[in-house]
Amino acid sequence: MKKLIHLLLVLTLFQFTCSTEKTNNQQAAIDTRVNALIKQMTLDEKIGQLIQKNGAAGMDSLVRAGALSSVLNEIDVLAQNQLQRVAMEESRLGIPLIFARDVIHGFNTVLPIPLGQAATWNPDLVKEGAAMSATEARSSGIRWTFSPMIDVTRDPRWGRIAEGYGEDPVLTSAMGVATIKGYQGEELSGKNSMLACAKHFAAYGAAEAGRDYHTVAVPENELRDVYLPPFKAAVEAEAGTFMAAFNEINGIPATGNKFLLSKVLRDEWNFKGFVVSDWESVRQLVVHGYAHDNKDAAYKSFTAGCDMEMASTCYETYLKEMVNSGVVGEELINEAVRDILTIKFKMGLFENPYTNPDDYPAVLNDEHKQLSRNIARESLVLLKNESAVLPLKKDNIRKVAVIGPLADAPHDQLGTWIFDGNKANSTTPLQAIQDYCGKDKVIYAPGMDISRTMNRTGFAKAIDAAKQSDVVLLFIGEESILSGESHCRADISLPGLQEELITEIAKTGKPIVAVVMAGRPLTFEESAKELDAILYAWHPGTMAGPAVADVLFGQESPSGKLPVTFPRTVGQIPIYYAQKNSGKPASDETWERMYEIPPEAFQLSVGNTNHYIDYGFKPWFPFGYGLSYTSFEYSNQKVEKAVYNLGDTIKFSVTVVNTGKTDAKEVVQLYVRDLVGSRTRPVKQLEDFKKVFIAAGDSAEVDFSVPTNSLGFHDQEMNYVTESGDFLAGIGSNSDLELNIQFTIK
Ligand code: BGC
């Protein structure tokens, strides 16, 4: 046996050495080609490699002159190939272009919005979705996407919360890495591979008051502990490109931020790809009041480490002049060009510059749609299920009322950022429910045509439909344009007259199952009391209907968990689970005492703790929350040893039993607290999670291996340290759990 293990080890080592050697050889070959090319390039041609423009039309002469590196938003393959031919055959050095596009959550087959994908807590599935998106995009000649967006955010007012993976660095990192690997495949040169772009670097999700593009003021340690880890993980996953963010951070706009783009990204993390600006974010340095004019903007952005300019024209107008006058060293230009050309070689663009759509499977094929349906299904979060109204038993249903503005909204179910999604390909919940139950059983009366409407003329029909039915399926939420870039909301309650619609339908006394489609957490705690079940569906994409119906009718148990805390009211924002304790933490005891005393005595007797006198201190639903059709019992939570040394790997384990009657998946979550630090530590932090399938009546032993190194944080001097001391851990089904496992790091 020992011999066998030894042999296996030797073999593994051999394979590892061979593959490292292969990578090194490939890299050396690319370096040689890049250096040879740079030697031949004029300064104009070099600067040309730093330019990205919108659309292929009218670009021929620029490309012929070698003055353009990348084109975004051209999806006509013929136009791409024609322009690429100019680059390859008519430009002096034949350097290919990269065609780029925002492929954010699917291409023609639209997947759930990224926030919904995060709610699956299933990185493997998310990776498959990204790989599918890449294949579809490649069939339209797209070889570079501006995704994933890995901006941690704790503010659901921010419209772009829809585009990211929520509030937690560990979950965001896992989803970001899965997405990057899905897009880029084994090798960037793969036939189905698409170059990824980690964006927006950095802290874009921390915009003050949830207003897009707004000021970001984050202390450096928090930046490093909360907002940067997903980006560091992206570098480790070899994301080929990064995008500099629109926002300023502590007074310096990200696109001109040397600390971020050079010190952190290049010097500390050793990033080898290239950085692209956001749309006109170089020029915007002037608007920020950080550069005097476009020339100054080009200087500040380029010397900070932003290699390629998207859309604005500061680099092409001023870089040459600045090199010639010695203000910018040509070596700096060479470095940026080197990084861009290296990626172009790695992508195999020189060998395979053109696209033949026939080389690819049809978009929107059954397999792609099935994958989209699977991801959507796992993204659904069951928030409430009183008297087990769900799953519905279709044979027991005589009539079902389908009501609400999002029941049959083929465009809105796709969500934000769907350049290439088309509502004509959507299957809506109404269609899917009709398929499940038979058309004759379904009474459809939307009540409202869109979520924002203030028109109640449809109410009467909807109420009537409810009266005739055994159960009401109410599709409420936000239409897609209420989230996304620059679509922030100060009030995140249900828009329009939807709360009134709920009240009116509730008066019929029929059980109401609400399916909520939205790009963010919405606040409707009061109205929710009138609902029997709530299934939170985000914007589920092309296959929203079948996915939602699968879960409503019990084909599959819901297994999604919240990737972000749901506030009770907007005034609680920012509210997130990984908060600090403060010196006067609120507790159930202090808060509940408020209700034991008469209002007039209130002010005097209530404990001075960090709660709101009107809304307490708890969220509506905690991070990680989500119900199932079955029940899971957690026991035996333990750590292998009581004391570990720095550098050890800590082993945790738990037994999870499916005590119900339904087979289901559960997301087992591990949280840790460092009790005392040289800086105060959050009351708990997600360390790891595993999604496991457990058949009814079965149990699973789930274990976690956590290196002590991952329990660290940035100290006063910004060193990443794991400090010795006492820790607590908890393993459970959401973040509102007791930390009852003790261990010490020596
Ligand atoms: C967005 C980016 C996007 C770019 C190109 C910008 O407005 O902030 O996320 O990639 O446009 O479409």
Side-chain angles (χ1 to χ4, degrees):
M1 186 64 186
K2 253 190 181 164
K3 267 190 185 156
L4 186 68
I5 295 176
H6 185 73
L7 187 70
L8 281 175
L9 274 175
V10 172
L11 267 176
T12 320
L13 197 67
F14 178 71
Q15 274 171 336
F16 175 75
T17 320
C18 289
S19 79
T20 326
E21 211 166 281
K22 190 174 153 215
T23 320
N24 289 345
N25 289 344
Q26 277 170 348
Q27 187 60 49
I30 288 176
D31 289 348
T32 311
R33 293 176 79 181
V34 168
N35 289 334
L37 198 50
I38 290 183
K39 272 200 193 116
Q40 299 173 61
M41 292 170 86
T42 63
L43 180 56
D44 284 313
E45 285 165 338
K46 288 176 185 171
I47 292 169
Q49 285 307 306
L50 315 180
I51 311 300
Q52 180 180 63
K53 286 185 185 290
N54 195 41
M59 299 288 171
D60 286 42
S61 53
L62 272 185
V63 173
R64 200 169 290 115
L68 188 61
S69 186
S70 171
V71 169
L72 77 158
N73 294 334
E74 179 57 70
I75 53 155
D76 182 283
V77 175
L78 221 62
Q80 290 169 355
N81 282 343
Q82 260 167 18
L83 196 64
Q84 191 72 299
R85 196 151 280 121
V86 176
M88 299 306 293
E89 293 172 12
E90 297 176 29
S91 77
R92 202 176 67 91
L93 296 170
I95 302 175
L97 299 160
I98 320 183
F99 292 98
R101 177 89 157 164
D102 290 273
V103 180
I104 306 297
H105 50 110
F107 188 66
N108 296 129
T109 307
V110 178
L111 303 174
I113 54 169
L115 191 61
Q117 293 189 40
T120 66
W121 291 60
N122 188 340
D124 293 338
L125 201 53
V126 166
K127 182 178 167 193
E128 279 183 53
M132 182 278 283
S133 312
T135 305
E136 287 202 352
R138 283 292 306 261
S139 74
S140 279
I142 302 305
R143 301 184 76 145
W144 178 17
T145 177
F146 305 118
S147 166
M149 189 190 100
I150 46 178
D151 297 308
V152 166
T153 187
R154 293 164 166 182
D155 199 325
R157 292 171 297 186
W158 190 48
R160 296 194 89 165
I161 190 172
E163 253 186 273
Y165 304 111
E167 78 182 40
D168 183 71
V170 168
L171 183 62
T172 301
S173 300
M175 292 299 162
V177 166
T179 306
I180 290 163
K181 292 195 166 158
Y183 289 147
Q184 296 195 161
E186 290 289 309
E187 289 191 289
L188 272 180
S189 59
K191 179 175 156 239
N192 296 313
S193 300
M194 176 165 67
L195 180 64
C197 182
K199 75 185 188 187
H200 307 82
F201 195 54
Y204 184 38
E208 267 178 9
R211 284 169 68 191
D212 213 358
Y213 321 125
H214 213 36
T215 309
V216 170
V218 186
E220 187 180 333
N221 67 296
E222 193 178 325
L223 184 72
R224 289 181 179 273
D225 287 341
V226 178
Y227 296 96
L228 295 189
F231 288 98
K232 185 158 189 267
V235 173
E236 284 157 8
E238 296 184 41
T241 68
F242 263 51
M243 183 185 287
F246 280 130
N247 54 284
E248 70 157 72
I249 301 167
N250 305 328
I252 316 285
T255 305
N257 199 311
K258 200 175 250 171
F259 163 75
L260 282 176
L261 302 182
S262 292
K263 181 170 186 288
V264 174
L265 185 58
R266 302 270 180 195
D267 302 346
E268 295 181 21
W269 298 348
N270 206 15
F271 174 62
K272 294 289 181 212
F274 68 87
V275 177
V276 65
S277 75
D278 203 341
W279 184 275
E280 295 199 332
S281 68
V282 174
R283 181 190 63 79
Q284 287 168 13
L285 295 190
V286 181
V287 189
H288 275 285
Y290 184 65
H292 295 288
D293 48 28
N294 287 355
K295 183 174 173 184
D296 194 25
Y299 174 79
K300 291 202 163 116
S301 160
F302 185 70
T303 56
C306 179
D307 304 298
M308 185 181 282
E309 181 176 13
M310 180 193 286
S312 55
T313 55
C314 308
Y315 286 12
E316 66 192 74
T317 317
Y318 297 107
L319 275 184
K320 186 178 182 187
E321 169 188 336
M322 286 193 278
V323 172
N324 287 337
S325 61
V327 177
V328 172
E330 188 160 350
E331 197 33 53
L332 209 57
I333 306 268
N334 289 347
E335 269 175 38
V337 174
R338 193 169 288 128
D339 291 335
I340 293 167
L341 290 179
T342 300
I343 292 287
K344 289 188 174 182
F345 278 111
K346 280 191 177 164
M347 291 169 79
L349 273 173
F350 287 81
E351 292 74 26
N352 292 305
Y354 306 110
T355 297
N356 179 0
D358 295 342
D359 292 344
Y360 292 89
V363 295
L364 286 154
N365 63 45
D366 289 348
E367 210 181 300
H368 292 184
K369 282 189 173 173
Q370 186 57 44
L371 178 60
S372 173
R373 180 180 186 157
N374 293 348
I375 300 174
R377 217 154 47 176
E378 288 206 19
S379 75
L380 307 177
V381 185
L382 184 63
L383 294 178
K384 181 177 181 184
N385 193 16
E386 230 144 67
S387 14
V389 53
L390 288 178
L392 303 171
K393 286 152 209 77
K394 70 176 179 203
D395 296 335
N396 298 349
I397 294 175
R398 203 180 32 86
K399 287 272 183 227
V400 49
V402 173
I403 298 175
L406 286 140
D408 194 32
H411 174 74
D412 289 315
Q413 71 183 36
L414 299 179
T416 183
W417 269 120
I418 40 121
F419 276 160
D420 303 289
N422 187 331
K423 67 175 182 181
N425 303 313
S426 295
T427 309
T428 68
L430 175 64
Q431 292 162 343
I433 292 162
Q434 286 171 337
D435 284 349
Y436 254 92
C437 302
K439 260 193 172 159
D440 51 323
K441 282 193 178 179
V442 179
I443 314 176
Y444 173 56
M448 299 166 69
D449 55 354
I450 56 164
S451 70
R452 280 169 300 151
T453 188
M454 298 305 280
N455 181 342
R456 47 174 82 71
T457 49
F459 276 30
K461 269 197 178 154
I463 294 164
D464 202 43
K467 282 184 181 156
Q468 292 176 54
S469 305
D470 312 312
V471 61
V472 176
L473 301 181
L474 187 60
F475 290 83
I476 50 178
E478 285 179 328
E479 64 245 49
S480 57
I481 59 155
L482 293 186
S483 58
E485 183 172 351
S486 141
H487 287 69
C488 304
R489 295 180 63 201
D491 169 1
I492 56 167
S493 61
L494 282 168
L497 297 176
Q498 294 183 94
E499 303 218 1
E500 196 179 311
L501 181 64
I502 294 175
T503 306
E504 291 306 316
I505 302 291
K507 284 183 191 160
T508 65
K510 297 296 166 105
I512 308 177
V513 174
V515 177
V516 185
M517 289 192 196
R520 59 161 66 76
L522 296 176
T523 51
F524 56 103
E525 193 185 17
E526 270 315 299
S527 307
K529 292 179 181 151
E530 307 193 88
L531 304 169
D532 297 277
I534 305 173
L535 188 65
Y536 215 83
W538 320 101
H539 289 126
T542 299
M543 296 299 279
V548 166
D550 288 343
V551 168
L552 290 179
F553 291 98
Q555 186 80 6
E556 181 164 310
S557 174
S559 64
K561 302 272 184 170
L562 297 179
V564 56
T565 302
F566 271 44
R568 301 178 59 203
T569 180
V570 77
Q572 290 179 303
I573 297 169
I575 180 166
Y576 48 93
Y577 83 92
Q579 62 180 341
K580 300 290 189 72
N581 209 32
S582 88
K584 288 171 178 269
S587 66
D588 284 329
E589 201 190 316
T590 58
W591 163 242
E592 273 157 17
R593 262 177 52 209
M594 286 179 61
Y595 291 102
E596 291 165 13
I597 47 186
E600 44 310 343
F602 205 69
Q603 281 180 3
L604 296 175
S605 357
V606 79
N608 291 338
T609 70
N610 67 359
H611 59 256
Y612 293 103
I613 53 168
D614 49 0
Y615 277 87
F617 64 100
K618 287 192 173 167
W620 186 18
F621 295 107
F623 173 81
Y625 183 81
L627 302 171
S628 166
Y629 290 159
T630 194
S631 45
F632 293 104
E633 211 177 86
Y634 283 69
S635 60
N636 241 342
Q637 286 98 327
K638 56 175 190 273
V639 65
E640 197 179 54
K641 295 198 294 183
V643 181
Y644 287 88
N645 292 316
L646 274 175
D648 285 353
T649 294
I650 308 167
K651 306 260 192 208
F652 300 94
S653 60
V654 63
T655 307
V656 186
V657 186
N658 181 340
T659 49
K661 293 196 172 63
T662 313
D663 299 348
K665 289 180 185 162
E666 165 70 334
V667 180
V668 182
Q669 304 165 37
L670 167 72
Y671 294 86
V672 177
R673 175 175 187 178
D674 179 354
L675 285 174
V676 179
S678 60
R679 301 183 77 99
T680 59
R681 311 303 308 126
V683 293
K684 60 189 78 145
Q685 281 179 291
L686 180 71
E687 262 310 312
D688 203 352
F689 60 89
K690 277 188 184 154
K691 190 162 192 173
V692 288
F693 172 83
I694 312 178
D698 274 5
S699 72
E701 299 298 315
V702 180
D703 44 35
F704 297 99
S705 299
V706 177
T708 55
N709 186 40
S710 82
L711 299 179
F713 62 93
H714 289 86
D715 68 9
Q716 297 288 72
E717 282 74 45
M718 296 310 140
N719 297 311
Y720 181 81
V721 289
T722 301
E723 292 178 344
S724 54
D726 293 334
F727 290 75
L728 286 178
I731 305 174
S733 71
N734 69 68
S735 65
D736 188 12
L737 80 179
E738 220 187 299
L739 304 184
N740 48 15
I741 308 172
Q742 297 177 13
F743 66 99
T744 302
I745 296 182
K746 274 205 302 202

